[in-house]
Amino acid sequence: MSRIFLTTLSLLLLLLAPYAAGEGLKYKNSEFHNLFPFLGRDEDSNTEITGDTPEDRKEFNDRLPYSMPKNAVQSTSKLGQGFYDQSCPDVENIISKAFAQILKDNPGAIAHVIRLQFHDCFVNGCDASILLDFTPSGDNVEKSSSFNGLLLKGADLMDDIKGKVEEKCPGIVSCADVMTFSTYEAMAMAGLPRKRAVAGRKDSIISLASIAESNNLPLPDWTIDQMMELFGRKGFNIEEMVVLLGAHSLGKAHCDFFMQRAFNFNGTGKPDPLLPKDVVDEFQKACPNGGTALFRNPPVAFDSTPTVLDNLFYQEMIQKNRTLLPSDSHLHEDPRTKPTVEQMANDHALFNKRFHDVMYKLTSLNVLTGTEGEVRKICRSTN
């Protein structure tokens, strides 16, 4: 198998941001970044956001397939709807029923699965490498990366769903396709029009934490420029980036990843000036104790409908100036992303359509097909 590794709404990472004993909620930035460099660098939050220039548009918004890195192209030619119509004709119905059963006990599964899909596809393509617990090489796998860790949930859900598929069609449906079918089911159950996913992906036998940690996933404190560079490298333009970040309409973020905006923004000892007082009050009430352990640190919903995939994320960004992650806070401030934010906020039907379009592109990113890879019997290990 010949594969070139690629060099990220969840954007939700692992581990509690440290805070200085005896200093209340005043974070010590140097300690924070020395202990947890993967949560960003001191200079990131001070990077100047450039204007909307023709050069920016040419580089990021008019990116053509032949200008993308070879390993960032969408491999749709070998994927298709009805791929398992003969070999496992009931697979999509099996996954739909399994996912509906999961949602009865775990409404957050919708956000978990969509975020899991993103983390898989952006690292090395949509090959289910995020699900591996180990590989024959013995290297640390993506799942163990600090960019993923325990807060990237959903792998256990794939175990359950894959198990039900294997009962009916052993050795037929890849984990990568099970994940994509589940993602499309999650989108439908979150309120988007139901559409049928293309299939034909194979599973990788390689998973490397080092690839996940090589600027292939976004950090919660990144600037627009940093986000544009990453998404552009993966073949997504500015509009597609903003639409894909609309996944933050779902789920929650732990206080650790945004509470500094309410208490000690950029080491100033004051809240982020972009946040209105009522939002600061909300965040301070929700995150009263920066010293709590990670799993006692309360999560806060990205918007008012955390189990519905809608355009409320954009509406609250405009109407209330309410965003959790620092990286999201720039979307309505930067002239390159603001038009798309406003367009999505004003047209729910358009957001539905564009989110489907962008997810189709995401789930087709650098896939393995044909004789490449394998069909894993168990998603956590190679055959």
Side-chain angles (χ1 to χ4, degrees):
M1 176 186 69
S2 176
R3 194 74 186 280
I4 306 173
F5 292 124
L6 294 172
T7 303
T8 94
L9 125 348
S10 173
L11 295 178
L12 296 179
L13 311 175
L14 175 65
L15 294 174
L16 177 65
Y19 92 119
E23 292 198 12
L25 292 166
K26 292 186 178 180
Y27 288 83
K28 287 188 175 181
N29 286 338
S30 58
E31 293 181 8
F32 178 90
H33 293 291
N34 286 339
L35 290 172
F36 301 102
F38 55 85
L39 287 180
R41 300 172 292 278
D42 287 336
E43 61 269 23
D44 288 347
S45 59
N46 296 318
T47 301
E48 182 179 357
I49 297 177
T50 60
D52 185 12
T53 67
E55 290 76 16
D56 288 331
R57 289 288 177 182
K58 179 175 177 55
E59 182 176 359
F60 295 106
N61 220 28
D62 299 324
R63 184 179 291 267
L64 298 174
Y66 57 75
S67 68
M68 299 178 194
K70 288 184 179 180
N71 55 344
V73 298
Q74 280 64 48
S75 307
T76 58
S77 60
K78 296 182 180 180
L79 302 178
Q81 292 182 346
F83 185 85
Y84 298 105
D85 281 357
Q86 300 301 318
S87 58
C88 188
D90 202 33
V91 59
E92 292 167 78
N93 188 44
I94 293 170
I95 291 174
S96 178
K97 290 181 178 178
F99 199 84
Q101 186 62 39
I102 288 171
L103 283 185
K104 291 181 180 180
D105 299 320
N106 183 9
I110 291 175
H112 300 334
V113 168
I114 293 175
R115 187 168 298 119
L116 187 71
Q117 180 83 77
F118 175 82
H119 277 240
D120 183 52
C121 294
F122 249 47
V123 171
N124 195 44
C126 306
D127 58 6
S129 54
I130 188 67
L131 300 179
L132 286 171
D133 284 342
F134 59 90
T135 64
S137 68
D139 292 290
N140 290 333
V141 294
E142 291 172 40
K143 190 184 292 184
S144 68
S145 165
S146 54
F147 279 77
N148 292 314
L150 296 177
L151 283 186
L152 184 64
K153 302 174 183 178
D156 57 331
L157 307 182
M158 293 302 101
D159 292 336
D160 293 343
I161 296 172
K162 170 68 169 175
K164 288 180 171 58
V165 172
E166 284 292 305
E167 289 176 5
K168 297 289 185 179
C169 310
I172 300 296
V173 184
S174 68
C175 296
D177 279 344
V178 167
M179 191 187 306
T180 297
F181 284 139
S182 299
T183 295
Y184 270 63
E185 190 62 29
M187 291 191 293
M189 292 189 175
L192 263 62
R194 184 175 295 277
K195 291 192 176 182
R196 199 176 187 191
V198 295
R201 301 165 189 81
K202 291 292 185 67
D203 300 325
S204 176
I205 62 171
I206 299 171
S207 179
L208 295 171
S210 59
I211 302 299
E213 294 167 358
S214 297
N215 287 327
N216 281 307
L217 292 170
L219 298 173
D221 62 351
W222 269 12
T223 65
I224 292 296
D225 290 316
Q226 291 168 310
M227 297 288 285
M228 283 173 56
E229 190 282 326
L230 171 61
F231 279 78
R233 184 161 26 100
K234 305 298 182 181
F236 293 84
N237 62 33
I238 295 173
E239 187 255 5
E240 290 168 332
M241 178 185 79
V242 176
V243 170
L244 192 53
L245 290 174
H248 282 172
S249 172
L250 292 166
K252 302 177 180 181
H254 279 257
C255 286
D256 309 276
F257 303 112
F258 65 89
M259 64 186 303
Q260 70 274 17
R261 298 186 66 203
F263 293 99
N264 187 28
F265 182 67
N266 283 352
T268 62
K270 299 177 180 180
D272 185 342
L274 289 178
L275 293 177
K277 184 179 185 303
D278 60 334
V279 176
V280 171
D281 291 343
E282 176 198 348
F283 290 174
Q284 289 183 348
K285 183 178 180 180
C287 310
N289 185 357
T292 58
L294 178 62
F295 295 106
R296 289 187 291 118
N297 197 349
V300 177
F302 279 106
D303 69 21
S304 302
T305 56
T307 60
V308 180
L309 186 53
D310 54 21
N311 64 344
L312 196 59
F313 170 68
Y314 305 106
Q315 291 181 1
E316 292 188 355
M317 188 183 301
I318 295 172
Q319 297 169 6
K320 301 180 180 180
N321 209 2
R322 182 190 184 277
T323 54
L324 300 187
L325 303 182
S327 56
D328 288 342
S329 70
H330 303 306
L331 291 176
H332 194 236
E333 300 296 321
D334 193 284
R336 296 164 293 184
T337 52
K338 182 177 180 178
T340 302
V341 169
E342 295 180 342
Q343 190 177 31
M344 294 301 113
N346 292 328
D347 194 335
H348 185 209
L350 178 62
F351 169 70
N352 287 349
K353 179 185 183 303
R354 292 300 295 130
F355 193 82
H356 259 304
D357 293 343
V358 177
M359 286 301 292
Y360 171 82
K361 185 172 181 176
L362 174 70
T363 57
S364 303
L365 187 64
N366 202 32
V367 297
L368 298 172
T369 60
T371 59
E372 300 173 306
E374 65 179 14
V375 175
R376 290 188 227 136
K377 298 175 183 178
I378 299 173
C379 292
R380 290 180 177 269
S381 64
T382 57
N383 292 338

